[in-house]
Amino acid sequence: MRKGKRSKRSRGSGRRQRASLVLALALTAGLTAVAPAGADDPAYAFRNPRLPVTERVNDLLGRLTLDEKISLLHQYEPAIPRLGIQSFRTGTEALHGVAWLGRATVFPQAIGLASTWDPALIQQVGSAVGDEARGFQQERPDGWGLNLWAPVVNLLRDPRWGRNEEGYSEDPYLTGSISTAYGEGLTGGDPDHLKTAPTLKHYLANNNEVNRTTTSSDLRPRVQHEYDEAAFRPAVEADATTGVMASYNLVNGRPDTVNPDLDDVVRTWTSRDLLNVTDAFAPGNLTGDQQYYPTLAEGDAAALKAGIDSFTDNNGDSAPTTTAVKSALTTGLLTESDVDRAVSHILAVRVRLGEFDPNGGKYGSIDRSVINSPAHQKLAREAAAESAVLLKNKDGVLPLKTSAKNVAVVGPLADTLYTDWYSGTLPYAVTPADGIASKLGTPVGSSEGVDRIALKDTATGKYVTAGASEAGGALKESTETGVAAQFDAFDWGSGIVTLRSAANGKYVGYNWSDFVNDQVQPNGWYVQQQFELEQQDDGTYLLRYAGYETTESWWSNPVYLGPTGPDGTLGLVEKSGAAHYSKDVVRSGVGEAVAAVRGKDTAVVVVGSMPAINGREAHDRTDMGLAPSQEALVRAVRAANPKTVVIVENSYPTTLGTLQKEVPALLWTTHAGQETGNALADVLYGDTNPAGRLTQTWYRSASDLPSILDYDIIKSDRTYQYFKGRALYPFGYGLSYTTFRYGAPKRVDGGYEVAVTNTGERAGDEVVQLYTHQRASRDKQPLKQLKAYARVSLKPGETKTVRLKVRPSDLAHWDVTRSKWVVESGTYDVLVGASSSDIRSRTSWTVRGETIPPRDLTKVTRAENFDDYSPGSVRLVDESKARGTAVGATADGAWLKFADTELGSGASEFSARVAGSSGTVEVRLGSPTGPLVGTARTGGTASPYDYTTVTAALTGAAKGRTGVYLVLSGGVRLSTFTLR
């Protein structure tokens, strides 16, 4: 990762000068029409593929009216018939396959793709997804577009994040390499001729769903540069993306929709134009729940100036956006040059996509024959198999033998595949039971292991019944006692169950009016197929509706079910009027599963999650364990058949409790798409030797984690880099059916080499991981940090020399004393192994860098550049609405530490820029309660953005080399200060 930055201003100026020169030459040569021409006339420079992108953009920009340019700022860009320009739309979802456009190849979830640790494979997947996105272009279905909103590169620092399935890893280096590979596949690898235009989501520090539009992620400079930005930078630098999406949340008190880093930072990482977009409805949040600007005109103007180019707001209605931009132009909040700059970024991407080239350019001939092609099906199977992680394999239980054909596959995910919010539509589904049966060439025993129940109203004796037709029917209470009164109750944890009607195999959900059994699987934004069975003291149950909309602030309806119509139709009632039901178990799920596995050669239990429930966009996880009934199922099956293999199929680390100790073999997979069953069978039976590795720390308990809103991984000892506890499974962990031996790492030009030998009897892949640790530093350093890795294939007995690239510059960290990257002189441990905790060989590396000098507080120092702070009473806040970060004290006694400060023979005056409430800023030495050497007082300011300068005389004790502490009163904001 390069640390140096190009000068954006000089680069942009140079581009404009070159563009002007080329355009002048083109005009002289007659390449540009000097008189009206047909819209498809090749005399238009913007349609000439031989010309540079910038010249084509400038030509087209010059032909557009102001109104036409403004129209292009909205997600739904209209056609411009007079120039022969078609409509364009930003935002086709393509996280692990093209989504929402129809049947398309569905690859493993993003976290599963990353678990392969195989960038070459990920690039192939990205290329396949890009082909399929192009394949839809011939028909342009509703929602189609070549600007793809993928990949998600937000770091998985907290496994409780609802969108964990969408990200890659808790590590920025791994995330950067995987996102770059996927992006290069999507773009086609030629930045001037794009297959598709991928957009990185979501910039920046977007890792909680609770109150996601109003919470602020506090990023001290080291965390921002070393961690969060580090995940986004590689793909941008490699031209593997064409822009970023600003996230919903705030960072340091400022909404990311108006984060100036979109321009000031992100655009310095590349010389190419980036098309930055807002998240859906985020512009409206600025005037809505964020209350950051009073009018949409002010908010949209601020977003454009910060670096946003396209507004995703009000669905297909562009009028609010275009009206706001026109108002901002009229009132002087924007100039036409601001609009031109954003539109030029949009047009640059459209030109590079070949939209204005003959026949659509390089990729214009790709048609729908590529969608779910045999080649993509094969790739989906390979990716799903490579992503599986073997967590436990006691006494070599795995791989299984195909000769032992008497197998039962049980569990709630044994014979079904679920899709997630950003999945495409499955063209077909190979379930675990299907895959194993196909592998064995014979049917397998199967049971979902869930109870089939009937709910009888204890007051009336009537049963809850559902419709028997394919379309289902409204739930009602009746005297019927057959299958219409039976439901399979799936327990997904946290008390949530889904009810599948035995009458037609469809799930029961709410449709804003009735409860109907009409859904193939739980789905939708509000997932209206969620219920709770609340047991009462008398042993009866209340049926509580738990669709996601019931947690919204606008929900005012009751949530309990009871008969509301004369025909017994169920509706929502207050708790006092809720029906009390007895829960009759018609068929025991555990009993059926035990019967299915007893006496079998092998029992395979597939447990895990339903991706729309207990962790999804807008909803963080509140429980990190398996559903209690699923644990009970595993234990019962294990007791009935000791030869039990457990597959955990979910989207996140799970606290497996003692279960992982009790079963002999444990395999983890994400929801892996259409080929899940075949891939799992390949791994279970040894056709694929598992080499997937965990991309997150699996904690033993939620008590190992601080608040999900705590973004300071350094202070809170978060992720494998800083976590000092004992993980259930460490970052980088995964087993194989063979064994590997490592030689000593040897320093070579550009990195290290290590010999790795397959010492087992099976061919297999090893993921060789190189970590470094800085032994001594001015600043707190990671316990270890991934710097390189390689997935290598080895035959039995084979040795390969693996080269791992790492340069001295890769050892840099952010120096807050001088606001720059620094490589400190010293000794670094180089650790090579199979996971972050399984280090097989090591060496030391003496690096000549520099020594960070003592702080010089005679220079203006930004308060945000502290070394330490008091937790709970210090927040990072917006210095102004446009840019800058200040420190805000939320309670008296909030303190900031500025370590290793050289005060020399003495400082006599303290000066600070403060805003906010009245109060004091104390200057103390050595500790927050150390000697007081000065106190500055502020009477407060009218606005938190209205700063004033306060001063204080310092006593003679303010001298020498020491730690300086600033102690603030609650409500005071501190921007900058000096000691002189």
Side-chain angles (χ1 to χ4, degrees):
M1 185 186 307
R2 298 195 298 272
K3 308 299 181 185
K5 296 181 179 179
R6 302 182 182 94
S7 168
K8 181 187 67 175
R9 183 170 298 161
S10 62
R11 185 184 70 242
S13 175
R15 274 210 306 259
R16 285 190 294 272
Q17 291 172 359
R18 289 193 300 274
S20 298
L21 177 60
V22 173
L23 182 58
L25 291 172
L27 286 166
T28 302
L31 291 173
T32 301
V34 294
D40 58 351
D41 193 322
Y44 278 131
F46 77 85
R47 293 196 178 277
N48 188 339
R50 297 189 302 260
L51 296 179
V53 171
T54 304
E55 181 179 339
R56 299 175 71 184
V57 169
N58 286 345
D59 175 74
L60 179 51
L61 188 66
R63 297 180 187 282
L64 298 175
T65 67
L66 179 57
D67 281 349
E68 287 170 341
K69 288 185 285 190
I70 293 171
S71 75
L72 301 181
L73 297 177
H74 190 262
Q75 178 185 21
Y76 289 81
E77 302 175 25
I80 303 175
R82 70 181 185 85
L83 294 175
I85 296 174
Q86 288 185 290
S87 62
F88 185 85
R89 179 183 182 273
T90 62
T92 294
E93 301 295 349
L95 185 59
H96 53 109
V98 179
W100 306 355
L101 298 184
R103 297 181 186 276
T105 309
V106 178
F107 294 94
Q109 290 178 311
I111 188 175
L113 292 175
S115 298
T116 67
W117 292 60
D118 190 344
L121 175 68
I122 302 306
Q123 185 170 352
Q124 292 180 55
V125 172
S127 181
V129 175
D131 284 346
E132 296 199 12
R134 278 281 178 175
F136 283 106
Q137 74 174 328
Q138 306 298 343
E139 300 171 6
R140 293 173 66 94
D142 185 45
W144 168 87
L146 291 176
N147 174 235
L148 306 186
W149 286 354
V152 171
V153 298
N154 297 110
L155 292 161
L156 307 183
R157 65 176 180 92
D158 194 309
R160 297 167 297 187
W161 185 34
R163 304 182 75 167
N164 198 85
E165 67 197 31
E166 299 181 37
Y168 291 136
S169 171
E170 69 182 36
D171 180 76
Y173 177 82
L174 180 59
T175 296
S177 66
I178 296 295
S179 59
T180 298
Y182 192 64
E184 286 177 339
L186 292 174
T187 65
D190 180 354
D192 285 325
H193 302 89
L194 298 170
K195 183 187 294 184
T196 65
T199 301
L200 303 184
K201 300 190 332 186
H202 312 81
Y203 192 89
L204 185 71
N206 175 214
N207 196 211
N208 63 272
E209 297 304 291
V210 58
N211 300 325
R212 61 179 179 165
T213 64
T214 55
T215 55
S216 179
S217 306
D218 284 11
L219 296 186
R220 58 197 284 195
R222 282 195 64 197
V223 175
Q224 177 163 338
H225 293 295
E226 296 175 26
Y227 194 62
D228 286 277
E229 285 181 1
F232 283 83
R233 185 169 183 167
V236 178
E237 286 191 329
D239 292 323
T241 184
T242 57
V244 301
M245 172 188 285
S247 56
Y248 285 125
N249 57 287
L250 296 80
V251 166
N252 298 344
R254 182 181 298 106
D256 268 331
T257 305
V258 291
N259 187 340
D261 287 355
L262 294 167
D263 249 351
D264 298 347
V265 175
V266 177
R267 283 197 162 101
T268 67
W269 296 337
T270 179
S271 60
R272 297 186 182 274
D273 286 303
L274 297 177
L275 164 54
N276 294 334
V277 305
T278 74
D279 209 334
F281 294 94
N285 292 339
L286 293 170
T287 58
D289 53 9
Q290 291 170 343
Q291 291 290 295
Y292 205 70
Y293 288 101
T295 67
L296 189 60
E298 291 170 273
D300 283 3
L304 271 177
K305 285 183 173 294
I308 289 294
D309 305 306
S310 177
F311 292 86
T312 315
D313 209 7
N314 300 294
N315 294 322
D317 182 7
S318 63
T321 296
T322 57
T323 300
V325 171
K326 290 175 183 178
S327 174
L329 287 165
T330 300
T331 57
L333 294 171
L334 289 173
T335 64
E336 187 169 355
S337 64
D338 295 318
V339 174
D340 286 353
R341 183 171 57 252
V343 172
S344 69
H345 297 152
I346 296 167
L347 295 178
V349 169
R350 293 179 65 171
V351 166
R352 291 156 63 196
L353 282 167
E355 179 180 346
F356 309 124
D357 291 358
N359 302 313
K362 181 177 179 180
Y363 299 103
S365 62
I366 298 176
D367 61 27
R368 69 171 298 109
S369 65
V370 301
I371 299 173
N372 191 39
S373 66
H376 291 179
Q377 294 173 11
K378 180 181 178 183
L379 183 62
R381 181 171 181 168
E382 181 183 358
E386 277 205 25
S387 67
V389 181
L390 183 59
L391 298 176
K392 184 179 181 181
N393 191 22
K394 185 178 180 182
D395 300 326
V397 171
L398 295 175
L400 302 173
K401 294 181 173 60
T402 54
S403 58
K405 296 182 181 296
N406 194 12
V407 174
V409 186
V410 300
L413 287 93
D415 205 20
T416 189
L417 295 185
Y418 289 120
T419 54
D420 60 55
W421 178 246
Y422 287 105
S423 286
T425 303
L426 291 171
Y428 60 86
V430 183
T431 71
D434 292 336
I436 291 172
S438 177
K439 182 71 66 177
L440 296 176
T442 185
V444 298
S446 184
S447 166
E448 291 176 311
V450 300
D451 289 342
R452 178 162 289 184
I453 65 172
L455 298 173
K456 183 173 69 173
D457 190 327
T458 58
T460 65
K462 294 182 178 180
Y463 286 87
V464 175
T465 59
S469 70
E470 183 72 12
L475 264 60
K476 60 181 63 177
E477 290 188 2
S478 74
T479 57
E480 188 172 350
T481 59
V483 293
Q486 298 173 10
F487 300 88
D488 298 321
F490 290 79
D491 174 18
W492 299 114
S494 298
I496 299 297
V497 299
T498 54
L499 300 173
R500 188 181 64 196
S501 171
N504 68 353
K506 299 289 185 67
Y507 285 87
V508 175
Y510 184 54
N511 63 8
W512 304 102
S513 176
D514 295 314
F515 290 93
V516 182
N517 56 318
D518 62 351
Q519 297 300 310
V520 174
Q521 74 162 57
N523 64 88
W525 181 252
Y526 292 115
V527 193
Q528 295 176 305
Q529 297 79 35
Q530 301 182 86
F531 299 89
E532 294 182 52
L533 284 167
E534 293 185 354
Q535 188 168 16
Q536 305 301 296
D537 292 341
D538 62 0
T540 63
Y541 292 84
L542 302 185
L543 186 56
R544 184 182 188 277
Y545 174 55
Y548 283 146
E549 77 270 33
T550 62
T551 64
E552 297 287 343
S553 59
W554 47 262
W555 178 267
S556 59
N557 295 331
V559 293
Y560 289 91
L561 273 67
T564 57
D567 63 349
T569 298
L570 293 182
L572 293 171
V573 299
E574 298 293 344
K575 185 174 183 179
S576 60
H580 284 246
Y581 295 106
S582 63
K583 185 178 71 172
D584 302 335
V585 178
V586 178
R587 184 189 67 206
S588 166
V590 168
E592 184 184 67
V594 165
V597 303
R598 187 171 282 126
K600 295 295 192 292
D601 295 330
T602 306
V604 178
V605 190
V606 191
V607 294
S609 71
M610 196 283 135
I613 296 172
N614 292 340
R616 201 210 69 177
E617 182 174 358
H619 297 274
D620 293 315
R621 293 166 68 202
T622 57
D623 186 346
M624 292 172 62
L626 278 180
S629 67
Q630 293 189 26
E631 284 205 32
L633 173 67
V634 172
R635 289 193 170 92
V637 170
R638 165 69 171 153
N641 189 329
K643 293 173 287 188
T644 294
V645 174
V646 177
I647 298 172
V648 178
E649 183 181 335
N650 63 18
S651 313
Y652 34 67
T654 305
T655 51
L656 296 173
T658 59
L659 199 62
Q660 53 90 25
K661 297 180 181 178
E662 298 171 7
V663 297
L666 190 60
L667 184 73
W668 175 80
T669 177
T670 189
H671 295 279
Q674 63 203 52
E675 285 286 341
T676 296
N678 284 331
L680 288 174
D682 288 343
V683 173
L684 292 176
Y685 288 91
D687 293 318
T688 295
N689 191 340
R693 299 293 184 263
L694 299 179
T695 66
Q696 289 177 272
T697 302
W698 282 42
Y699 297 97
R700 293 180 178 274
S701 168
S703 63
D704 289 329
L705 295 165
S707 165
I708 196 172
L709 300 178
D710 182 348
Y711 278 74
D712 190 346
I713 68 163
I714 298 175
K715 189 171 181 66
S716 60
D717 293 332
R718 209 177 198 132
T719 80
Y720 82 93
Q721 292 190 22
Y722 295 96
F723 181 59
K724 298 174 182 175
R726 189 165 64 96
L728 179 66
Y729 294 112
F731 172 83
Y733 175 85
L735 302 177
S736 170
Y737 294 153
T738 189
T739 55
F740 300 95
R741 183 180 64 243
Y742 285 65
K746 298 178 181 178
R747 181 72 185 161
V748 295
D749 185 36
Y752 282 85
E753 286 183 347
V754 60
V756 181
T757 303
N758 183 342
T759 54
E761 298 178 353
R762 287 178 174 271
D765 288 6
E766 174 69 328
V767 178
V768 183
Q769 303 164 41
L770 184 149
Y771 299 84
T772 62
H773 167 67
Q774 186 173 346
R775 292 184 184 177
S777 173
R778 177 198 182 277
D779 302 309
K780 181 177 178 179
Q781 292 295 329
L783 303 172
K784 57 178 68 73
Q785 195 170 11
L786 183 70
K787 294 297 182 183
Y789 67 92
R791 180 163 174 152
V792 57
S793 299
L794 295 167
K795 299 174 183 177
E798 183 181 12
T799 298
K800 286 185 179 179
T801 298
V802 180
R803 170 165 275 195
L804 300 160
K805 294 181 179 179
V806 58
R807 304 158 298 177
S809 59
D810 295 326
L811 304 175
H813 75 276
W814 188 256
D815 174 19
V816 293
T817 72
R818 296 172 295 172
S819 294
K820 71 170 196 173
W821 291 100
V822 61
V823 177
E824 290 183 281
S825 295
T827 300
Y828 295 74
D829 294 315
V830 177
L831 315 168
V832 182
S835 81
S836 60
S837 67
D838 184 8
I839 302 302
R840 305 291 183 86
S841 61
R842 64 181 66 211
T843 188
S844 61
W845 185 10
T846 301
V847 175
R848 292 183 179 179
E850 59 180 301
T851 299
I852 299 175
R855 278 189 182 270
D856 180 5
L857 298 184
T858 64
K859 298 179 180 178
V860 175
T861 299
R862 299 202 62 81
E864 65 177 311
N865 287 326
F866 50 73
D867 291 291
D868 199 4
Y869 59 98
S870 54
S873 59
V874 166
R875 295 301 307 268
L876 292 171
V877 296
D878 48 340
E879 184 176 13
S880 73
K881 289 190 174 183
R883 57 184 14 90
T885 296
V887 173
T890 61
D892 290 343
W895 56 264
L896 307 174
K897 177 184 178 181
F898 298 86
D900 192 26
T901 295
E902 179 57 75
L903 296 177
S905 58
S908 60
E909 184 183 70
F910 169 72
S911 175
R913 295 279 293 170
V914 297
S917 302
S918 61
T920 62
V921 181
E922 296 179 345
V923 182
R924 293 182 178 270
L925 305 180
S927 79
T929 57
L932 176 64
V933 296
T935 302
R937 303 182 184 279
T938 172
T941 60
S943 162
Y945 307 119
D946 181 16
Y947 284 82
T948 186
T949 300
V950 296
T951 60
L954 301 178
T955 71
K959 61 183 178 180
R961 192 164 173 175
T962 186
V964 172
Y965 288 76
L966 302 183
V967 184
L968 283 64
S969 298
V972 172
R973 287 185 169 206
L974 176 62
S975 170
T976 60
F977 70 96
T978 58
L979 274 74
R980 292 177 178 158

